[in-house]
Amino acid sequence: MLENNRNREKSIKEVIKMKNILICMVLVVTVFCATSAWAAASQTVTVNATVPTMTGGLSVTVSKVTGTVWTTASTISFGTLTWDNVNKIFLPASYYAVDVGVTDNSGTVWTLTHTRVSLQKDATNNLNGKVNVSFNKQTSSSVGTLLAKYSYTNSQNIAYTKTQLSGGWLRIYYGIGTGQAGQDATGVTPIGMDTPAGTYTGSVTITLTP
Amino acid sequence: MFAAIRFIVIYFCFMGSFFVSIAQADKLPFMNQSKIRVVAAPGDRVFGEITLDNPTEESKNMRLYLEDWYYLPGGAGGKEFLPAGSTPASACPWISFSPAEVTLPAFGKQRISYSVDVPSDATGTHFASLFFETSLGKDSLPDSGRSAGLDVNVRVATLFYIEVKGKAARSAEVDNLNIQPSKDEKGALDITLDFENTGNTDITTSGSFSLMNNDGVVSARGAFNNVYTFPGGKGSLLGTWKDRIPAGVYDLVITIDLGKALTDAGMGRGPVITKEASVTIGENNKIVQVGKLH
């Protein structure tokens, strides 16, 4: 009996203790909310942000395209060309796409320029008239508009401005001539047996200027 | 439940592919100045800095070098770059910079210091371009059969305009006013003028036109395209008016600001050319008569 009374008193005390803790918590929350509300109503917080000038932000991605498969590359390597016995020409397994994006918040009217160094084996043998270079304005990775198509020979100093590429980015395709009607740029012919065997190397430069 | 899981999986796959494609792009460092215009007296030496900022988690190797440049004919702003010291207006021999090669660490910055020494007998404005170039990779081709490959280099330029204080003259001729129906838009009028830079410095124009009636009320107003020229360079100014203008006699006022490049560089203003001509317009924007420009 005495034990029961002691237990009851103990539980009543605990309940009271819990009640007090709860009251304290409610008070703290109330005071906090009231303070916040008061602060929100009367305090002015100055927010500053400085956006730095970023210019010359050039982003370039080289992709090797084999069939419908795109893989990232760092060079335009057609590799060893294989003989197409049907069309009697040499062809590579892949063509290449180079995506060029510009990041600039300076208001500069920038220009992208494509220049090239001869794709050659030696001083007399080159593939400059055997490669298509096609310039496109992409508005998504799969939607683009053809701007112009040149032979590698004529792809020197081809320039596009910020205005021309507005709302998109520049994609340049590089492919060996196929000889198919309407596919190759003016002046491009496929690589036949008349082209001497050997390693043909060159380079392209993408330049961003204000 | 399955639909929700499928949505989440597709969402993360999509976002994953987005970030992968972004990550694969080779990004060049940003620079804080793409054009540097210096006005310095003959014999003066001027110092400055360009800051490169690598926004990527990969270090970047870059080669720095100077070249000449000039505006291509036509005044549209196209440029051609030539080896250093190959043009009479080259500023390359006047410019020193350091370092010539940089390796920018991931998310790192690099300052490029430059100095410009203006010769004591210099006149006009001289030009140079400082290139920051990197190679995306070197091709190694098999040495058999017929193989072909191209290396890809990317470069960005900072253009220098070194104007010799007190020795640069900004002047131009504007002539051959022509007003005719627009080739690109039906019913619109094209106002064209020939522009020639007759000074010894570069000029970037910004121009406007106003067509005022006898009461001094403006009936048409518009802007001309910008023309970019070096000394002796020529270009065409073109302004277009798309709306109908009531028939009558008008006074055409043309204003060409020769100092846009100075204003853009925050270095004050340049001279302004103002020309006028009488224009008679008939019904349906038909040009009846265009008077002499004066």
Side-chain angles (χ1 to χ4, degrees), chain B residues 177-179 190-193 208-213 220-222 224 241 245 249-255 274-281 289-294:
Chain B
L177 171 66
N178 195 5
I179 306 175
D190 278 351
I191 302 169
T192 58
L193 290 151
S208 62
F209 65 86
S210 301
L211 206 58
M212 289 189 287
N213 65 17
R221 177 183 282 146
F224 288 110
W241 179 253
I245 301 166
V249 178
Y250 293 87
D251 191 22
L252 176 67
V253 181
I254 289 162
T255 307
T274 304
K275 296 269 184 183
E276 291 185 41
S278 172
V279 178
T280 307
I281 297 176
Q289 185 255 331
V290 178
K292 202 169 186 286
L293 205 60
H294 57 88

Side-chain angles (χ1 to χ4, degrees), chain A residues 55 58-61 72 74 76-81 90 152 157 195 198 200-210, chain B residues 24-28 30-31 34 79-81 131 136-137 139 142-143 145-151 153-157:
Chain A
T55 187
L58 185 59
S59 164
V60 178
T61 308
T72 305
S74 59
I76 298 166
S77 180
F78 296 113
T80 303
L81 309 179
F90 286 97
Y152 187 73
N157 278 329
T195 302
Y200 293 76
T201 56
S203 67
V204 293
T205 300
I206 313 287
T207 303
L208 174 67
T209 51
Chain B
Q24 284 168 346
D26 207 307
K27 288 180 183 170
L28 258 68
F30 289 107
M31 60 175 83
S34 59
K79 301 168 193 76
E80 178 146 16
F81 298 92
F131 279 108
L136 299 190
D139 202 2
D143 196 17
R146 287 164 181 80
S147 57
L150 297 164
D151 292 334
N153 303 313
V154 286
R155 59 181 189 171
V156 291

Side-chain angles (χ1 to χ4, degrees), chain A residues 23-186:
Chain A
I23 289 165
C24 282
M25 282 172 73
V26 168
L27 273 172
V28 166
V29 171
T30 310
V31 168
F32 176 76
C33 289
T35 313
S36 302
W38 177 79
S42 65
Q43 262 193 341
T44 303
V45 179
T46 307
V47 180
N48 282 315
T50 306
V51 179
T53 300
M54 303 296 248
T55 187
L58 185 59
S59 164
V60 178
T61 308
V62 181
S63 303
K64 179 181 183 178
V65 188
T66 310
T68 56
V69 180
W70 291 53
T71 48
T72 305
S74 59
T75 63
I76 298 166
S77 180
F78 296 113
T80 303
L81 309 179
T82 53
W83 179 247
D84 177 345
N85 215 14
V86 177
N87 297 303
K88 310 294 181 198
I89 55 174
F90 286 97
L91 288 171
S94 313
Y95 65 94
Y96 282 81
V98 176
D99 286 294
V100 187
V102 177
T103 310
D104 189 301
N105 67 354
S106 69
T108 302
V109 184
W110 46 258
T111 304
L112 283 170
T113 308
H114 178 272
T115 50
R116 54 98 187 136
V117 170
S118 180
L119 176 55
Q120 63 184 40
K121 171 180 175 284
D122 50 44
T124 51
N125 296 293
N126 65 64
L127 300 180
N128 297 343
K130 311 285 183 186
V131 176
N132 292 296
V133 184
S134 150
F135 295 86
N136 301 266
K137 176 181 165 179
Q138 295 295 128
T139 48
S140 75
S141 58
S142 58
V143 179
T145 312
L146 176 68
L147 299 169
K149 195 190 265 188
Y150 299 99
S151 65
Y152 187 73
T153 308
N154 293 330
S155 68
Q156 181 73 346
N157 278 329
I158 304 301
Y160 292 100
T161 63
K162 178 184 182 177
T163 312
Q164 288 170 299
L165 297 171
S166 173
W169 71 91
L170 182 65
R171 176 176 285 173
I172 312 169
Y173 289 108
Y174 299 85
I176 301 280
T178 62
Q180 289 176 25
Q183 295 285 305
D184 292 333
T186 307

Side-chain angles (χ1 to χ4, degrees), chain B residues 28-168:
Chain B
L28 258 68
F30 289 107
M31 60 175 83
N32 67 337
Q33 295 179 86
S34 59
K35 288 181 183 178
I36 295 173
R37 184 171 286 273
V38 173
V39 179
D44 271 5
R45 174 178 282 184
V46 177
F47 297 93
E49 277 183 352
I50 301 166
T51 305
L52 292 175
D53 193 339
N54 183 3
T56 72
E57 56 189 14
E58 291 172 7
S59 65
K60 299 281 176 194
N61 296 312
M62 302 193 92
R63 181 171 76 93
L64 280 64
Y65 58 94
L66 288 164
E67 283 196 357
D68 286 353
W69 70 276
Y70 69 95
Y71 286 123
L72 289 167
K79 301 168 193 76
E80 178 146 16
F81 298 92
L82 298 166
S86 57
T87 65
S90 174
C92 293
W94 303 1
I95 300 171
S96 306
F97 61 91
S98 178
E101 284 199 25
V102 294
T103 301
L104 271 145
F107 303 112
K109 289 189 180 198
Q110 171 79 49
R111 286 180 181 171
I112 310 297
S113 302
Y114 66 82
S115 67
V116 180
D117 285 282
V118 180
S120 54
D121 59 348
T123 57
T125 300
H126 287 238
F127 311 92
S129 173
L130 181 59
F131 279 108
F132 304 80
E133 182 173 310
T134 189
S135 175
L136 299 190
K138 286 283 173 197
D139 202 2
S140 55
L141 290 164
D143 196 17
S144 62
R146 287 164 181 80
S147 57
L150 297 164
D151 292 334
V152 181
N153 303 313
V154 286
R155 59 181 189 171
V156 291
T158 289
L159 301 182
F160 280 87
Y161 306 72
I162 316 295
E163 189 170 321
V164 184
K165 197 172 183 179
K167 304 279 184 182

